[in-house]
Amino acid sequence: MAASEPSAAEDTSQPMPSPPHADAEMQLTLTHHGNPIEFTLAFDATIADLSTLIAEDLSIPPSNQKLMVTPKLGLLKPPFRDPSLPLSSLVNKKIVLMGSTAAEISSLDAAILTSQSRSSRRGGRPGDSASPVKATTPTRRRDWKKDQEEATYTFTTLRPLPYLPKPERSLRFLERLRDDAGIKASMRKHKWTVPLLTEMNPAEHTTRESRTLGLNRNGGEVIELRLRTDAYDGYRDYKVIRKTLCHEMAHNVWGEHDRNFWDLCKEIEIEVERGDWRSGGHALSEQEFYNPEDSGMDEDCADHGGWTGGEFVLGGSGSEPAVSNAGGVVGAGSLSRREILARAAEERMRKQRQLSPDGGGSTSES
Protein backbone atom coordinates (compact mmCIF):
# COMPACT_ATOMS: atom_id res chain seq x y z
CA MET A 1 0.00 0.00 0.00
CA ALA A 2 1.49 3.31 -1.03
CA ALA A 3 2.15 5.94 1.59
CA SER A 4 -0.44 8.60 1.66
CA GLU A 5 0.59 12.20 0.96
CA PRO A 6 0.04 14.67 3.78
CA SER A 7 -2.89 16.90 3.21
CA ALA A 8 -2.50 20.58 2.81
CA ALA A 9 -4.36 21.12 6.05
CA GLU A 10 -1.66 19.29 8.03
CA ASP A 11 1.36 21.43 9.25
CA THR A 12 4.44 19.35 10.20
CA SER A 13 6.91 22.30 10.74
CA GLN A 14 8.05 23.60 14.22
CA PRO A 15 6.52 26.88 15.46
CA MET A 16 8.83 29.93 14.95
CA PRO A 17 9.59 32.15 17.99
CA SER A 18 7.66 35.33 17.83
CA PRO A 19 9.54 38.65 18.15
CA PRO A 20 9.28 40.46 21.50
CA HIS A 21 6.44 42.86 21.99
CA ALA A 22 7.20 46.53 21.95
CA ASP A 23 6.59 46.77 25.70
CA ALA A 24 8.75 43.71 26.61
CA GLU A 25 11.33 44.24 29.37
CA MET A 26 14.56 42.60 30.43
CA GLN A 27 16.67 42.44 33.59
CA LEU A 28 20.31 43.53 33.48
CA THR A 29 22.67 43.10 36.47
CA LEU A 30 25.92 44.97 36.97
CA THR A 31 28.35 45.22 39.90
CA HIS A 32 29.34 48.49 41.61
CA HIS A 33 31.75 48.59 44.59
CA GLY A 34 31.33 44.83 44.89
CA ASN A 35 27.54 44.99 45.18
CA PRO A 36 25.18 43.64 42.48
CA ILE A 37 22.67 46.18 41.11
CA GLU A 38 19.74 45.11 38.95
CA PHE A 39 18.15 47.36 36.32
CA THR A 40 14.89 46.82 34.45
CA LEU A 41 15.00 48.17 30.91
CA ALA A 42 13.05 47.88 27.69
CA PHE A 43 14.08 44.96 25.52
CA ASP A 44 15.26 47.32 22.77
CA ALA A 45 17.29 49.57 25.15
CA THR A 46 20.84 50.57 24.17
CA ILE A 47 24.07 51.18 26.01
CA ALA A 48 23.31 54.92 25.94
CA ASP A 49 20.01 54.25 27.74
CA LEU A 50 21.90 52.34 30.44
CA SER A 51 24.28 55.28 30.95
CA THR A 52 21.32 57.63 31.41
CA LEU A 53 19.72 55.26 33.93
CA ILE A 54 22.98 54.98 35.91
CA ALA A 55 23.21 58.78 36.12
CA GLU A 56 19.61 59.07 37.32
CA ASP A 57 19.48 56.16 39.80
CA LEU A 58 23.07 56.10 41.14
CA SER A 59 24.02 59.78 40.74
CA ILE A 60 27.14 58.88 38.77
CA PRO A 61 27.54 61.40 35.95
CA PRO A 62 28.39 60.00 32.51
CA SER A 63 31.84 61.59 32.65
CA ASN A 64 32.67 59.34 35.63
CA GLN A 65 31.18 56.13 34.24
CA LYS A 66 33.30 53.20 33.09
CA LEU A 67 31.79 49.80 32.26
CA MET A 68 34.04 46.75 32.17
CA VAL A 69 32.25 44.07 30.13
CA THR A 70 33.62 40.54 30.01
CA PRO A 71 34.23 38.52 28.05
CA LYS A 72 35.17 40.13 24.73
CA LEU A 73 33.93 43.74 24.76
CA GLY A 74 36.28 45.20 27.37
CA LEU A 75 36.06 48.77 28.70
CA LEU A 76 33.16 50.99 27.58
CA LYS A 77 32.69 54.61 28.62
CA PRO A 78 30.61 57.56 27.44
CA PRO A 79 30.54 58.86 24.79
CA PHE A 80 30.37 55.34 23.47
CA ARG A 81 31.85 54.39 20.13
CA ASP A 82 28.53 52.69 19.32
CA PRO A 83 25.78 54.35 21.40
CA SER A 84 23.17 52.11 19.72
CA LEU A 85 24.73 48.90 21.05
CA PRO A 86 21.73 46.78 22.17
CA LEU A 87 21.74 45.77 25.81
CA SER A 88 20.17 42.45 24.88
CA SER A 89 23.61 41.40 23.66
CA LEU A 90 25.05 42.01 27.16
CA VAL A 91 22.48 40.12 29.24
CA ASN A 92 24.70 37.06 29.73
CA LYS A 93 27.93 39.00 30.27
CA LYS A 94 29.57 40.28 33.45
CA ILE A 95 29.38 44.05 33.77
CA VAL A 96 31.36 45.98 36.38
CA LEU A 97 30.59 49.67 36.89
CA MET A 98 33.49 51.87 37.92
CA GLY A 99 32.90 55.45 38.90
CA SER A 100 32.35 57.82 41.81
CA THR A 101 29.04 59.36 42.73
CA ALA A 102 28.55 63.09 42.94
CA ALA A 103 28.46 62.82 46.75
CA GLU A 104 31.79 60.97 46.84
CA ILE A 105 33.41 63.59 44.64
CA SER A 106 32.09 66.39 46.85
CA SER A 107 33.43 64.64 49.96
CA LEU A 108 36.87 64.28 48.37
CA ASP A 109 36.93 67.95 47.35
CA ALA A 110 36.00 68.96 50.89
CA ALA A 111 38.79 66.82 52.33
CA ILE A 112 41.34 68.43 50.00
CA LEU A 113 40.19 71.93 50.98
CA THR A 114 40.41 71.02 54.67
CA SER A 115 43.94 69.70 54.25
CA GLN A 116 45.03 72.85 52.42
CA SER A 117 43.46 75.02 55.11
CA ARG A 118 45.30 73.18 57.89
CA SER A 119 48.59 73.44 56.02
CA SER A 120 48.06 77.17 55.56
CA ARG A 121 47.36 77.67 59.29
CA ARG A 122 50.50 75.76 60.26
CA GLY A 123 53.07 77.55 58.15
CA GLY A 124 51.61 80.01 55.68
CA ARG A 125 50.88 83.68 55.96
CA PRO A 126 47.33 84.98 55.59
CA GLY A 127 46.39 85.06 51.92
CA ASP A 128 49.17 82.68 50.84
CA SER A 129 48.15 79.67 48.77
CA ALA A 130 49.71 76.80 50.69
CA SER A 131 50.17 73.44 49.03
CA PRO A 132 49.84 70.25 51.09
CA VAL A 133 52.75 68.71 49.16
CA LYS A 134 56.27 70.01 49.69
CA ALA A 135 58.39 70.77 46.68
CA THR A 136 60.85 68.04 45.84
CA THR A 137 64.55 68.66 46.20
CA PRO A 138 67.19 67.39 43.79
CA THR A 139 68.70 64.03 44.67
CA ARG A 140 72.22 64.31 46.00
CA ARG A 141 74.89 62.91 43.74
CA ARG A 142 76.51 59.72 44.91
CA ASP A 143 79.93 60.22 46.47
CA TRP A 144 81.92 57.50 44.73
CA LYS A 145 85.12 58.36 46.56
CA LYS A 146 83.42 57.97 49.93
CA ASP A 147 81.83 54.68 48.85
CA GLN A 148 85.18 53.29 47.75
CA GLU A 149 86.88 54.41 50.96
CA GLU A 150 84.15 52.80 53.08
CA ALA A 151 84.53 49.59 51.08
CA THR A 152 88.29 49.62 51.70
CA TYR A 153 88.56 50.91 55.27
CA THR A 154 86.20 48.60 57.10
CA PHE A 155 85.90 45.16 58.71
CA THR A 156 86.27 42.84 55.74
CA THR A 157 84.70 39.76 57.36
CA LEU A 158 82.27 39.41 60.25
CA ARG A 159 82.04 36.12 62.07
CA PRO A 160 80.07 35.09 65.17
CA LEU A 161 81.02 32.01 67.17
CA PRO A 162 78.97 29.21 65.60
CA TYR A 163 79.01 26.98 68.69
CA LEU A 164 77.30 29.57 70.94
CA PRO A 165 73.48 29.93 71.01
CA LYS A 166 71.84 31.87 68.15
CA PRO A 167 74.93 33.07 66.26
CA GLU A 168 72.66 34.96 63.84
CA ARG A 169 71.98 37.50 66.60
CA SER A 170 75.68 38.02 67.16
CA LEU A 171 76.11 38.49 63.42
CA ARG A 172 73.49 41.26 63.43
CA PHE A 173 75.33 42.90 66.34
CA LEU A 174 78.63 42.77 64.41
CA GLU A 175 76.91 44.19 61.31
CA ARG A 176 75.54 47.03 63.37
CA LEU A 177 79.03 47.87 64.63
CA ARG A 178 80.48 47.69 61.12
CA ASP A 179 77.76 49.96 59.74
CA ASP A 180 77.82 52.44 62.63
CA ALA A 181 78.26 55.88 61.02
CA GLY A 182 80.76 56.99 63.64
CA ILE A 183 82.89 53.84 63.35
CA LYS A 184 82.91 54.15 59.56
CA ALA A 185 83.97 57.80 59.74
CA SER A 186 86.86 57.03 62.12
CA MET A 187 88.12 54.09 60.05
CA ARG A 188 88.06 56.21 56.88
CA LYS A 189 90.00 58.97 58.57
CA HIS A 190 92.75 56.66 59.84
CA LYS A 191 92.62 54.40 56.75
CA TRP A 192 92.20 51.20 58.75
CA THR A 193 91.19 47.87 57.24
CA VAL A 194 90.56 45.03 59.70
CA PRO A 195 90.35 41.61 57.98
CA LEU A 196 88.21 39.96 60.68
CA LEU A 197 85.81 41.20 63.36
CA THR A 198 84.50 38.40 65.56
CA GLU A 199 82.92 37.80 68.94
CA MET A 200 84.70 36.59 72.04
CA ASN A 201 83.62 33.66 74.17
CA PRO A 202 83.13 35.08 77.70
CA ALA A 203 84.06 31.78 79.35
CA GLU A 204 87.51 31.81 77.79
CA HIS A 205 88.36 35.33 78.95
CA THR A 206 87.02 35.54 82.48
CA THR A 207 89.05 35.16 85.65
CA ARG A 208 88.52 36.03 89.29
CA GLU A 209 90.52 39.20 88.78
CA SER A 210 89.11 40.53 85.52
CA ARG A 211 86.92 40.09 82.48
CA THR A 212 88.50 40.85 79.13
CA LEU A 213 86.17 42.85 76.87
CA GLY A 214 88.18 42.84 73.67
CA LEU A 215 91.39 41.78 71.95
CA ASN A 216 93.37 43.15 69.01
CA ARG A 217 95.64 40.61 67.40
CA ASN A 218 98.71 41.49 65.31
CA GLY A 219 98.05 45.21 65.01
CA GLY A 220 94.56 45.02 63.55
CA GLU A 221 94.45 41.67 61.76
CA VAL A 222 91.74 40.35 64.07
CA ILE A 223 89.56 42.16 66.63
CA GLU A 224 87.53 40.15 69.12
CA LEU A 225 84.71 41.71 71.15
CA ARG A 226 82.84 40.40 74.17
CA LEU A 227 79.24 40.72 72.99
CA ARG A 228 77.40 38.39 75.36
CA THR A 229 76.75 38.51 79.08
CA ASP A 230 78.60 36.07 81.31
CA ALA A 231 75.46 33.92 81.65
CA TYR A 232 74.91 33.84 77.86
CA ASP A 233 71.34 35.07 78.44
CA GLY A 234 71.64 38.36 76.61
CA TYR A 235 73.98 40.92 75.11
CA ARG A 236 75.93 43.74 76.64
CA ASP A 237 75.02 47.40 76.14
CA TYR A 238 75.72 48.58 72.60
CA LYS A 239 77.56 51.77 73.57
CA VAL A 240 79.82 49.81 75.92
CA ILE A 241 80.73 47.44 73.12
CA ARG A 242 81.31 50.34 70.74
CA LYS A 243 83.60 52.03 73.26
CA THR A 244 85.51 48.76 73.60
CA LEU A 245 85.86 48.68 69.81
CA CYS A 246 87.34 52.19 69.89
CA HIS A 247 89.83 50.95 72.46
CA GLU A 248 90.80 47.97 70.30
CA MET A 249 91.14 50.08 67.15
CA ALA A 250 93.70 52.24 68.97
CA HIS A 251 95.80 49.06 69.25
CA ASN A 252 96.07 49.11 65.46
CA VAL A 253 98.81 51.69 66.07
CA TRP A 254 99.95 51.36 69.68
CA GLY A 255 100.41 48.07 71.50
CA GLU A 256 101.16 49.24 75.02
CA HIS A 257 98.78 51.24 77.21
CA ASP A 258 101.01 54.32 77.27
CA ARG A 259 100.18 58.00 76.79
CA ASN A 260 100.29 57.68 73.00
CA PHE A 261 97.72 54.90 73.16
CA TRP A 262 95.31 56.73 75.46
CA ASP A 263 95.53 59.94 73.42
CA LEU A 264 94.63 58.02 70.26
CA CYS A 265 91.86 56.09 72.04
CA LYS A 266 90.27 59.33 73.23
CA GLU A 267 90.59 60.80 69.74
CA ILE A 268 88.77 57.80 68.23
CA GLU A 269 85.98 57.99 70.80
CA ILE A 270 85.41 61.66 69.98
CA GLU A 271 85.42 60.91 66.23
CA VAL A 272 82.89 58.12 66.65
CA GLU A 273 80.53 60.26 68.71
CA ARG A 274 80.84 63.17 66.29
CA GLY A 275 80.48 61.03 63.18
CA ASP A 276 77.40 59.18 64.37
CA TRP A 277 74.57 61.53 63.44
CA ARG A 278 72.14 59.16 65.12
CA SER A 279 73.86 59.67 68.50
CA GLY A 280 74.68 56.03 68.95
CA GLY A 281 72.02 54.53 66.71
CA HIS A 282 69.00 52.61 67.89
CA ALA A 283 68.70 49.29 69.65
CA LEU A 284 67.28 46.37 67.70
CA SER A 285 65.41 45.24 70.78
CA GLU A 286 65.86 45.64 74.52
CA GLN A 287 65.89 41.90 75.09
CA GLU A 288 68.54 41.25 72.49
CA PHE A 289 71.07 44.05 72.94
CA TYR A 290 70.56 45.43 76.42
CA ASN A 291 72.00 44.46 79.77
CA PRO A 292 70.80 46.71 82.65
CA GLU A 293 73.80 45.81 84.79
CA ASP A 294 76.36 46.64 82.11
CA SER A 295 77.59 50.08 83.14
CA GLY A 296 80.85 50.22 81.21
CA MET A 297 84.50 49.21 81.40
CA ASP A 298 85.29 50.54 84.87
CA GLU A 299 85.02 47.15 86.58
CA ASP A 300 86.34 45.17 83.61
CA CYS A 301 89.56 45.01 81.68
CA ALA A 302 89.32 46.11 78.08
CA ASP A 303 92.41 44.04 77.24
CA HIS A 304 96.01 43.56 78.28
CA GLY A 305 97.50 45.43 75.37
CA GLY A 306 97.86 44.50 71.71
CA TRP A 307 98.52 40.80 71.10
CA THR A 308 101.23 39.86 68.60
CA GLY A 309 102.31 36.59 67.04
CA GLY A 310 100.85 33.12 66.65
CA GLU A 311 97.82 32.01 64.63
CA PHE A 312 94.18 32.85 65.18
CA VAL A 313 91.96 29.74 65.20
CA LEU A 314 88.18 29.91 65.40
CA GLY A 315 86.49 26.80 66.76
CA GLY A 316 84.00 24.94 64.60
CA SER A 317 83.80 22.41 61.83
CA GLY A 318 83.99 24.91 59.00
CA SER A 319 80.38 24.38 57.92
CA GLU A 320 78.94 27.42 59.72
CA PRO A 321 78.63 30.55 57.54
CA ALA A 322 80.00 34.01 58.13
CA VAL A 323 79.38 37.22 56.22
CA SER A 324 81.96 39.24 54.35
CA ASN A 325 81.79 42.99 53.80
CA ALA A 326 81.19 42.44 50.09
CA GLY A 327 78.15 40.33 50.76
CA GLY A 328 79.81 36.94 50.30
CA VAL A 329 79.59 33.95 52.60
CA VAL A 330 82.76 32.28 53.86
CA GLY A 331 83.35 29.29 56.07
CA ALA A 332 83.79 29.64 59.82
CA GLY A 333 86.36 26.93 60.34
CA SER A 334 89.97 27.34 61.44
CA LEU A 335 91.72 30.23 59.75
CA SER A 336 95.42 30.89 59.79
CA ARG A 337 96.83 34.36 59.74
CA ARG A 338 97.75 34.01 56.06
CA GLU A 339 94.21 32.88 55.18
CA ILE A 340 92.64 35.79 57.06
CA LEU A 341 94.79 38.34 55.23
CA ALA A 342 94.27 36.69 51.83
CA ARG A 343 90.49 36.61 52.19
CA ALA A 344 90.47 40.21 53.38
CA ALA A 345 92.38 41.31 50.27
CA GLU A 346 90.04 39.37 47.98
CA GLU A 347 86.90 40.85 49.55
CA ARG A 348 88.36 44.36 49.45
CA MET A 349 89.16 44.08 45.75
CA ARG A 350 85.73 42.62 44.98
CA LYS A 351 83.97 45.45 46.79
CA GLN A 352 86.04 48.09 44.99
CA ARG A 353 85.14 46.57 41.62
CA GLN A 354 81.46 46.62 42.53
CA LEU A 355 81.57 50.29 43.51
CA SER A 356 83.73 51.54 40.64
CA PRO A 357 81.66 53.93 38.43
CA ASP A 358 83.26 52.51 35.26
CA GLY A 359 83.89 48.99 36.53
CA GLY A 360 81.96 45.79 36.20
CA GLY A 361 79.56 46.43 39.07
CA SER A 362 76.18 48.09 39.00
CA THR A 363 76.25 51.87 39.24
CA SER A 364 72.54 52.49 39.64
CA GLU A 365 71.19 53.90 42.83
CA SER A 366 68.23 52.32 44.60
Side-chain angles (χ1 to χ4, degrees):
M1 180 176 179
S4 60
E5 295 291 335
S7 63
E10 294 180 356
D11 187 2
T12 59
S13 63
Q14 296 295 327
M16 296 295 293
S18 58
H21 298 290
D23 57 349
E25 295 180 340
M26 63 177 174
Q27 304 294 323
L28 186 69
T29 302
L30 55 82
T31 304
H32 183 234
H33 292 338
N35 300 317
I37 301 176
E38 190 173 87
F39 290 98
T40 301
L41 302 102
F43 195 86
D44 59 351
T46 64
I47 190 70
D49 297 328
L50 177 62
S51 175
T52 301
L53 193 59
I54 291 173
E56 293 175 352
D57 290 3
L58 302 181
S59 300
I60 301 178
S63 58
N64 295 345
Q65 296 176 14
K66 293 181 181 179
L67 298 171
M68 177 61 69
V69 182
T70 55
K72 298 284 187 176
L73 290 183
L75 184 66
L76 305 176
K77 59 181 181 178
F80 302 103
R81 180 178 301 178
D82 182 11
S84 61
L85 176 68
L87 291 181
S88 57
S89 63
L90 308 181
V91 171
N92 296 324
K93 296 183 181 293
K94 181 180 179 180
I95 306 175
V96 178
L97 170 63
M98 297 175 288
S100 301
T101 65
E104 291 171 340
I105 295 175
S106 299
S107 177
L108 179 60
D109 291 341
I112 294 175
L113 290 175
T114 301
S115 176
Q116 292 176 341
S117 177
R118 289 175 179 173
S119 177
S120 178
R121 288 197 301 268
R122 282 196 301 266
R125 294 175 298 181
D128 288 348
S129 57
S131 172
V133 180
K134 293 183 179 179
T136 58
T137 56
T139 304
R140 294 178 58 187
R141 294 186 60 185
R142 187 166 183 175
D143 190 340
W144 292 105
K145 180 180 178 181
K146 178 181 177 182
D147 290 346
Q148 290 180 341
E149 288 180 348
E150 288 185 348
T152 302
Y153 307 119
T154 184
F155 302 98
T156 308
T157 302
L158 309 176
R159 185 175 291 112
L161 295 180
Y163 54 84
L164 294 182
K166 298 183 178 180
E168 66 277 2
R169 292 189 176 183
S170 295
L171 179 59
R172 291 202 300 271
F173 204 131
L174 295 173
E175 289 173 339
R176 183 181 172 194
L177 289 167
R178 178 198 63 191
D179 299 333
D180 186 290
I183 294 293
K184 291 166 69 174
S186 182
M187 294 188 75
R188 286 196 352 260
K189 176 184 176 181
H190 296 278
K191 303 185 183 303
W192 286 331
T193 300
V194 177
L196 178 61
L197 177 65
T198 184
E199 70 169 316
M200 173 188 294
N201 189 345
E204 297 177 358
H205 298 275
T206 302
T207 65
R208 291 185 177 181
E209 290 78 19
S210 66
R211 290 184 297 172
T212 303
L213 300 184
L215 286 176
N216 183 315
R217 300 179 182 272
N218 297 329
E221 291 182 3
V222 178
I223 290 182
E224 298 179 61
L225 296 175
R226 189 189 194 107
L227 305 181
R228 303 173 187 259
T229 60
D230 295 345
Y232 298 93
D233 58 353
Y235 286 78
R236 299 169 65 85
D237 181 74
Y238 176 77
K239 288 190 176 182
V240 173
I241 301 300
R242 190 174 68 168
K243 188 174 182 180
T244 304
L245 181 56
C246 295
H247 181 107
E248 297 309 324
M249 289 196 300
H251 281 305
N252 292 345
V253 180
W254 306 104
E256 299 297 328
H257 288 152
D258 55 13
R259 176 48 51 193
N260 291 327
F261 169 84
W262 289 115
D263 288 345
L264 178 58
C265 184
K266 186 64 176 178
E267 178 184 342
I268 296 171
E269 291 176 359
I270 294 174
E271 292 167 356
V272 169
E273 289 292 338
R274 184 190 307 120
D276 187 0
W277 53 270
R278 294 163 295 191
S279 300
H282 60 280
L284 297 184
S285 71
E286 292 188 355
Q287 293 180 349
E288 186 169 335
F289 293 145
Y290 180 65
N291 179 9
E293 299 179 358
D294 196 354
S295 57
M297 294 190 293
D298 295 340
E299 299 178 358
D300 303 325
C301 176
D303 55 29
H304 298 281
W307 187 92
T308 306
E311 300 287 345
F312 174 75
V313 178
L314 178 67
S317 62
S319 61
E320 299 292 339
V323 174
S324 70
N325 188 48
V329 177
V330 296
S334 299
L335 290 180
S336 67
R337 176 186 177 190
R338 179 178 297 178
E339 290 170 329
I340 292 173
L341 296 177
R343 288 187 176 181
E346 291 174 358
E347 296 298 336
R348 187 163 59 250
M349 293 177 62
R350 183 189 310 170
K351 189 67 173 180
Q352 288 177 337
R353 287 196 298 269
Q354 291 176 345
L355 292 174
S356 175
D358 54 354
S362 173
T363 61
S364 62
E365 294 187 49
S366 57

